[in-house]
Amino acid sequence: MTKHVIIAAGGSGSRFSSEVSKQFVNLVGKPMLMRTIEAFHQSFESLNIIVVLPMDQIEYWKTLCADYNFGLEHQIVTGGSRRFESVKNGLALISVQDCIIGIHDGARPLVTPELIRKIFNHADEKGTAIPVVPVSETLRHVSEDSSETVNRDDFRLVQTPQCFKSDIITAAFDVEYDQSFTDEATVVEASGVQVSLMDGDPINIKITTKSDLELAEKLLG
Amino acid sequence: MTKHVIIAAGGSGSRFSSEVSKQFVNLVGKPMLMRTIEAFHQSFESLNIIVVLPMDQIEYWKTLCADYNFGLEHQIVTGGSRRFESVKNGLALISVQDCIIGIHDGARPLVTPELIRKIFNHADEKGTAIPVVPVSETLRHVSEDSSETVNRDDFRLVQTPQCFKSDIITAAFDVEYDQSFTDEATVVEASGVQVSLMDGDPINIKITTKSDLELAEKLLG
């Protein structure tokens, strides 16, 4: 089966108070989106890489690739107003039948080739593969004027890439957007398919704030 | 107000498949508990450090301190069967009235002196200080045979040190153990006091698994 990954890189960086969009923020010498692409490039010999970018940032990205001499092959597709539409645009680019499709956050540049391989192989076997990690901290439910502890053993933190057999994800995305769609797993579940959870890796952090960026910088040493 | 920290270091390391208890596991050249103590030592000029250890590990810890030439001053107190009793034993050692008391996980060696100062100062002002970080991943509630996504914005991950004015925590711990006591904040809340949440730091991870240890090694890189 051929393998494809759609890297959703539409983040605005609003929680970052940064001039450039989050996926272009420099992480130890290069924009984090380049690191993300590199990890996928190293994972399988022939993996089709599709990067979804906001329309107004495609030219800037191409300039960055030239500036950094970044030559790893990838297709570029225009994002939608929401992650759901962005992924849909990426899916439309994949015409092959019977393949494995992963969806990954552009802001998870520390994903390792080993983890990517593990997740794709799990999806090949089970149809779906959602990497999760346990919650090792006490977890609190907060509301407007109070908060209370919940049992952390009943929860998991969900990472990406989330991988699916193509027929499963293509059918699932053939719907109108619903606000319950917070990631691809929820879209697939809404189509009536149960997803298969598997072990992720705590190093595969999502970079959302400046503190996360500092953490990633330390991790890259 | 004088400042005290009780470092709860009673973990068994069962999730670690390690010969030694978790807090003694070597983290880039020294047992992680030494790193934890160092951070507190650097935070305030006169901070009273109390380390709670299982009875059968106190001698081993003293040997380790001698082996590593570890001379930072700290009191040692015997732990109980549960975290609740261990903290209670630590509290019993603090005879000063009107002080600030922090409780910290021995398995959070990456806590920084800056974060420690921020939390103690918050407690000085508000009476309580519970460091929390947002959940940046999709969060799933799992049950025996299914799982579903919950709204991550309604949750926070709770870190330590959790700090309190002494009268608040002393009164709160003057009760029998209840299984709802998963951290010190829940004990204090059970006494009818609302706790004050504040920003923690994502680098202040809790080391629970081998993967967490690898993450910490990279962070100290």
Side-chain angles (χ1 to χ4, degrees), chain B residues 151-175:
Chain B
N151 185 357
R152 69 183 184 191
D153 294 336
D154 294 342
F155 293 86
R156 297 289 180 279
L157 296 167
V158 183
Q159 303 187 327
T160 72
Q162 302 187 352
C163 292
F164 310 89
K165 283 196 173 152
S166 52
D167 54 339
I168 292 174
I169 189 157
T170 308
F173 268 79
D174 190 20
V175 291

Short mmCIF file of all heavy atoms in Angstrom, two decimals, chain B residues 151-175:
data_model
loop_
_atom_site.label_atom_id
_atom_site.label_comp_id
_atom_site.label_asym_id
_atom_site.label_seq_id
_atom_site.Cartn_x
_atom_site.Cartn_y
_atom_site.Cartn_z
N ASN B 151 -13.65 18.34 25.62
CA ASN B 151 -13.14 19.68 25.29
C ASN B 151 -11.91 20.01 26.15
O ASN B 151 -12.03 20.26 27.35
CB ASN B 151 -14.25 20.71 25.52
CG ASN B 151 -13.82 22.10 25.07
OD1 ASN B 151 -12.67 22.29 24.64
ND2 ASN B 151 -14.73 23.05 25.16
N ARG B 152 -10.75 20.03 25.52
CA ARG B 152 -9.51 20.21 26.28
C ARG B 152 -9.43 21.57 26.97
O ARG B 152 -8.73 21.73 27.96
CB ARG B 152 -8.30 20.04 25.35
CG ARG B 152 -8.18 21.17 24.35
CD ARG B 152 -7.03 20.95 23.39
NE ARG B 152 -6.88 22.08 22.51
CZ ARG B 152 -6.11 22.10 21.46
NH1 ARG B 152 -5.41 21.04 21.13
NH2 ARG B 152 -6.01 23.17 20.71
N ASP B 153 -10.16 22.57 26.45
CA ASP B 153 -10.15 23.89 27.08
C ASP B 153 -10.76 23.87 28.48
O ASP B 153 -10.55 24.80 29.25
CB ASP B 153 -10.90 24.90 26.22
CG ASP B 153 -10.19 25.15 24.89
OD1 ASP B 153 -8.97 24.92 24.83
OD2 ASP B 153 -10.86 25.54 23.92
N ASP B 154 -11.51 22.83 28.77
CA ASP B 154 -12.14 22.71 30.09
C ASP B 154 -11.22 22.03 31.10
O ASP B 154 -11.64 21.75 32.23
CB ASP B 154 -13.45 21.90 30.00
CG ASP B 154 -14.50 22.62 29.19
OD1 ASP B 154 -14.36 23.85 28.99
OD2 ASP B 154 -15.48 21.97 28.75
N PHE B 155 -9.99 21.71 30.70
CA PHE B 155 -9.10 20.97 31.58
C PHE B 155 -7.74 21.66 31.73
O PHE B 155 -7.34 22.43 30.87
CB PHE B 155 -8.89 19.54 31.04
CG PHE B 155 -10.15 18.69 31.11
CD1 PHE B 155 -11.08 18.74 30.08
CD2 PHE B 155 -10.39 17.87 32.18
CE1 PHE B 155 -12.24 17.97 30.13
CE2 PHE B 155 -11.55 17.10 32.25
CZ PHE B 155 -12.47 17.15 31.22
N ARG B 156 -7.07 21.38 32.83
CA ARG B 156 -5.71 21.84 33.04
C ARG B 156 -4.89 20.68 33.62
O ARG B 156 -5.43 19.88 34.39
CB ARG B 156 -5.65 22.98 34.06
CG ARG B 156 -6.38 24.25 33.68
CD ARG B 156 -5.71 25.03 32.55
NE ARG B 156 -6.48 26.22 32.24
CZ ARG B 156 -7.57 26.26 31.48
NH1 ARG B 156 -8.03 25.15 30.91
NH2 ARG B 156 -8.20 27.40 31.27
N LEU B 157 -3.60 20.64 33.29
CA LEU B 157 -2.70 19.67 33.89
C LEU B 157 -2.06 20.32 35.11
O LEU B 157 -1.55 21.44 35.02
CB LEU B 157 -1.62 19.27 32.88
CG LEU B 157 -2.15 18.55 31.63
CD1 LEU B 157 -1.08 18.48 30.55
CD2 LEU B 157 -2.64 17.15 32.00
N VAL B 158 -2.08 19.63 36.22
CA VAL B 158 -1.63 20.20 37.48
C VAL B 158 -0.19 19.78 37.79
O VAL B 158 0.14 18.60 37.69
CB VAL B 158 -2.55 19.77 38.63
CG1 VAL B 158 -2.12 20.44 39.93
CG2 VAL B 158 -3.99 20.10 38.31
N GLN B 159 0.66 20.74 38.13
CA GLN B 159 2.05 20.44 38.46
C GLN B 159 2.29 20.64 39.96
O GLN B 159 1.35 20.90 40.71
CB GLN B 159 2.97 21.38 37.67
CG GLN B 159 2.76 21.31 36.16
CD GLN B 159 3.80 22.12 35.41
OE1 GLN B 159 4.26 23.15 35.90
NE2 GLN B 159 4.17 21.66 34.24
N THR B 160 3.53 20.54 40.35
CA THR B 160 3.96 20.92 41.70
C THR B 160 5.22 21.75 41.54
O THR B 160 5.82 21.72 40.46
CB THR B 160 4.27 19.70 42.59
OG1 THR B 160 5.50 19.10 42.16
CG2 THR B 160 3.16 18.68 42.57
N PRO B 161 5.70 22.52 42.53
CA PRO B 161 5.19 22.56 43.90
C PRO B 161 3.83 23.24 44.01
O PRO B 161 3.58 24.24 43.35
CB PRO B 161 6.26 23.37 44.64
CG PRO B 161 6.89 24.23 43.60
CD PRO B 161 6.88 23.39 42.36
N GLN B 162 2.98 22.66 44.85
CA GLN B 162 1.73 23.32 45.23
C GLN B 162 2.03 23.99 46.56
O GLN B 162 2.53 23.35 47.48
CB GLN B 162 0.62 22.27 45.36
CG GLN B 162 0.42 21.49 44.06
CD GLN B 162 -0.79 20.57 44.08
OE1 GLN B 162 -1.44 20.37 45.11
NE2 GLN B 162 -1.09 19.99 42.93
N CYS B 163 1.73 25.29 46.65
CA CYS B 163 2.13 26.04 47.85
C CYS B 163 0.92 26.61 48.60
O CYS B 163 -0.07 26.99 47.97
CB CYS B 163 3.07 27.18 47.46
SG CYS B 163 4.67 26.58 46.87
N PHE B 164 1.08 26.68 49.91
CA PHE B 164 -0.03 27.09 50.76
C PHE B 164 0.49 27.86 51.97
O PHE B 164 1.59 27.58 52.45
CB PHE B 164 -0.78 25.87 51.29
CG PHE B 164 -1.17 24.87 50.24
CD1 PHE B 164 -0.31 23.84 49.88
CD2 PHE B 164 -2.39 24.97 49.58
CE1 PHE B 164 -0.65 22.91 48.90
CE2 PHE B 164 -2.74 24.05 48.59
CZ PHE B 164 -1.87 23.03 48.25
N LYS B 165 -0.33 28.78 52.49
CA LYS B 165 -0.02 29.35 53.79
C LYS B 165 -0.19 28.23 54.81
O LYS B 165 -1.08 27.38 54.69
CB LYS B 165 -0.94 30.53 54.09
CG LYS B 165 -0.49 31.78 53.33
CD LYS B 165 -1.10 33.04 53.84
CE LYS B 165 -0.45 34.22 53.12
NZ LYS B 165 -1.33 35.39 53.03
N SER B 166 0.67 28.23 55.82
CA SER B 166 0.74 27.08 56.73
C SER B 166 -0.59 26.79 57.44
O SER B 166 -0.96 25.62 57.60
CB SER B 166 1.85 27.30 57.76
OG SER B 166 1.70 28.56 58.37
N ASP B 167 -1.33 27.83 57.84
CA ASP B 167 -2.58 27.55 58.56
C ASP B 167 -3.58 26.81 57.66
O ASP B 167 -4.30 25.93 58.12
CB ASP B 167 -3.19 28.85 59.11
CG ASP B 167 -3.38 29.91 58.04
OD1 ASP B 167 -2.70 29.83 56.99
OD2 ASP B 167 -4.20 30.83 58.24
N ILE B 168 -3.57 27.13 56.37
CA ILE B 168 -4.50 26.48 55.43
C ILE B 168 -4.17 25.00 55.27
O ILE B 168 -5.03 24.13 55.40
CB ILE B 168 -4.47 27.20 54.06
CG1 ILE B 168 -5.07 28.60 54.19
CG2 ILE B 168 -5.19 26.39 53.00
CD1 ILE B 168 -4.96 29.45 52.93
N ILE B 169 -2.90 24.70 55.00
CA ILE B 169 -2.56 23.29 54.75
C ILE B 169 -2.56 22.46 56.02
O ILE B 169 -2.96 21.29 56.02
CB ILE B 169 -1.23 23.15 53.95
CG1 ILE B 169 -1.06 21.69 53.52
CG2 ILE B 169 -0.03 23.66 54.71
CD1 ILE B 169 -0.19 21.46 52.35
N THR B 170 -2.16 23.07 57.11
CA THR B 170 -2.13 22.31 58.38
C THR B 170 -3.56 21.92 58.78
O THR B 170 -3.82 20.77 59.14
CB THR B 170 -1.47 23.15 59.49
OG1 THR B 170 -0.21 23.62 59.01
CG2 THR B 170 -1.24 22.33 60.73
N ALA B 171 -4.48 22.85 58.69
CA ALA B 171 -5.88 22.56 59.03
C ALA B 171 -6.45 21.50 58.07
O ALA B 171 -7.14 20.57 58.49
CB ALA B 171 -6.71 23.84 58.96
N ALA B 172 -6.11 21.63 56.78
CA ALA B 172 -6.66 20.71 55.78
C ALA B 172 -6.21 19.27 56.02
O ALA B 172 -6.96 18.32 55.81
CB ALA B 172 -6.26 21.15 54.39
N PHE B 173 -4.95 19.11 56.44
CA PHE B 173 -4.40 17.76 56.64
C PHE B 173 -4.79 17.15 57.97
O PHE B 173 -4.44 16.00 58.25
CB PHE B 173 -2.88 17.76 56.46
CG PHE B 173 -2.47 17.46 55.04
CD1 PHE B 173 -2.52 18.44 54.06
CD2 PHE B 173 -2.07 16.19 54.67
CE1 PHE B 173 -2.17 18.16 52.74
CE2 PHE B 173 -1.71 15.89 53.36
CZ PHE B 173 -1.77 16.88 52.41
N ASP B 174 -5.53 17.88 58.80
CA ASP B 174 -5.95 17.35 60.09
C ASP B 174 -7.24 16.54 59.93
O ASP B 174 -8.25 16.80 60.58
CB ASP B 174 -6.15 18.54 61.06
CG ASP B 174 -6.35 18.06 62.49
OD1 ASP B 174 -5.95 16.91 62.78
OD2 ASP B 174 -6.90 18.83 63.29
N VAL B 175 -7.21 15.59 59.00
CA VAL B 175 -8.38 14.74 58.72
C VAL B 175 -7.90 13.31 58.45
O VAL B 175 -6.70 13.07 58.33
CB VAL B 175 -9.14 15.22 57.45
CG1 VAL B 175 -9.84 16.55 57.69
CG2 VAL B 175 -8.20 15.31 56.24
#
